[in-house]
Amino acid sequence: MARDRASLLSKLRIRCPRPTWRVFVPASSPVFLLCYAEPLRKSEVMSASCKVRNLLLRRLIAPTQLRFNLGFCAMSSTAQDETSRAAASEAPGHSYESLQVTCAGKHVLHVQLNRPEKRNAMNKAFWREMVECFNKIAQDSDCRAVVLSGAGKTFTSGIDLVDLASDLLQPQGDDAARIAWYLRNLITTYQKTFSVIEECPKPVIATIHGHCIGAGVDLITACDIRYCAQDACFQVKEVDMGLAADVGTLQRLPKVIGNQSLVNELAFTARKMMAEEALSSGLVSRVFPDKERMLDAAFALATEISSKSPVAVQSTKVNLLYARDHPVTESLNYVASWNMSMLQTQDIIKSVQAAMEKKDLKSVTFSKL
């Protein structure tokens, strides 16, 4: 114990002001006691005490010190959760500027919007990297579910107007027709950034905390399941910026919540929708007290989904999306054609056998897809 305390003092670079003084670290408290072996003047004691106190304060609040756990400063549950998740292994083949992709468990990937210092604003790299990321996930036979979240204090503040200003406000082209073609290509390119999530056969769970503004709403409406924290705030912000939303909100949000009047109200006014209203309207399926519990529930859900037959889960997503955009008769015909091949999977035999033997489905090993 004495050696550990000496090591701790050495790391903090605390020295005794006089050779006859000793610094002690009580086992039950992270408080440093300055003692001395001979009588000293009161002014010396006060001066030394102030120096030690100021030194400790500087050490404890220094930003770099937060990156080390020396055992004397308890981390909050938020910091601990963020640290443990950041320490998760990076998914192979996923290295990005604006995203962080980690393996959150067996068959589960965690995709984070990773520009916390900019409130996860969507810069040029983000619009490109999301397409690359989810195209890889779609082809990843080991991945069966995805959790999408935002690093830091908020989910996303929407488009990074500073980074995208040149593309949006100074479009290329010699005349109106050519400028129009340039802008159309730009818009359709940005639309693919979120459509690729919808087209990915793996279920994607969006977890929203803090602000979800503008393009953030476009993003989450392309996801399959949405959870939010109590502090979540949603805003279709585009009309306040002088334009109509053009990368998915106006097309997907009415089908998500099924209330055209509410969609119109949100889109015309850019007013904020808080967590409870998002739950009652159907935008999210669950609300949690804080980000940590929301993420825990999302990972638990992703794990549950990943324990099912990937043929069954991915076939279900494909057919749900088809049914959303087609009449019932066409959708029934589509699923009949789909299942004429998918019913030949060995996953059915394995699942039925597990049910007959009263085994947990999580114990069944399904082939990769």
Side-chain angles (χ1 to χ4, degrees), residues 122 126-127 130 148 155-156 158-159 190-191 193-195 197-198 206 212-223 226 234-238 243-253 256 283:
M122 301 173 180
F126 167 85
W127 296 93
M130 281 289 283
L148 177 67
F155 181 71
T156 178
I159 288 178
Y190 285 172
Q191 288 174 348
T193 298
F194 301 144
S195 293
I197 300 174
E198 190 173 75
C212 178
I213 298 174
V217 179
D218 297 273
L219 169 59
I220 65 170
T221 53
C223 297
R226 288 163 293 277
F234 306 86
Q235 195 172 13
V236 184
K237 188 69 173 174
E238 282 79 358
L243 69 150
D246 55 9
V247 288
T249 291
L250 301 185
Q251 293 70 37
R252 295 188 178 101
L253 186 58
V256 168
L283 178 59

Side-chain angles (χ1 to χ4, degrees), residues 208-210 227-232 275 286-291 294:
I208 305 99
H209 73 288
Y227 284 176
C228 79
Q230 191 66 51
D231 67 348
R286 295 183 67 184
V287 176
F288 297 86
D290 51 49
K291 179 182 179 181
M294 172 186 65

Side-chain angles (χ1 to χ4, degrees), residues 74-149:
M75 297 175 67
S76 68
S77 60
T78 301
Q80 288 174 333
D81 289 341
E82 291 285 353
T83 301
S84 62
R85 291 187 177 105
S89 60
E90 184 177 275
H94 290 279
S95 180
Y96 307 108
E97 175 187 331
S98 65
L99 304 172
Q100 182 181 51
V101 183
T102 55
C103 299
K106 188 178 181 181
H107 306 307
V108 177
L109 290 180
H110 181 198
V111 179
Q112 275 189 300
L113 311 187
N114 195 34
R115 299 184 72 212
E117 73 286 354
K118 297 293 185 181
R119 298 198 302 159
N120 295 321
M122 301 173 180
N123 61 355
K124 292 178 182 178
F126 167 85
W127 296 93
R128 178 184 69 254
E129 290 175 345
M130 281 289 283
V131 176
E132 180 184 350
C133 175
F134 276 91
N135 277 335
K136 287 181 178 179
I137 291 174
Q139 298 301 317
D140 184 353
S141 60
D142 194 53
C143 176
R144 297 182 185 176
V146 181
V147 174
L148 177 67
S149 71

Side-chain angles (χ1 to χ4, degrees), residues 289-304:
D290 51 49
K291 179 182 179 181
E292 290 69 43
R293 277 178 272 193
M294 172 186 65
L295 284 173
D296 288 343
F299 287 126
L301 177 64
T303 301
E304 177 70 18

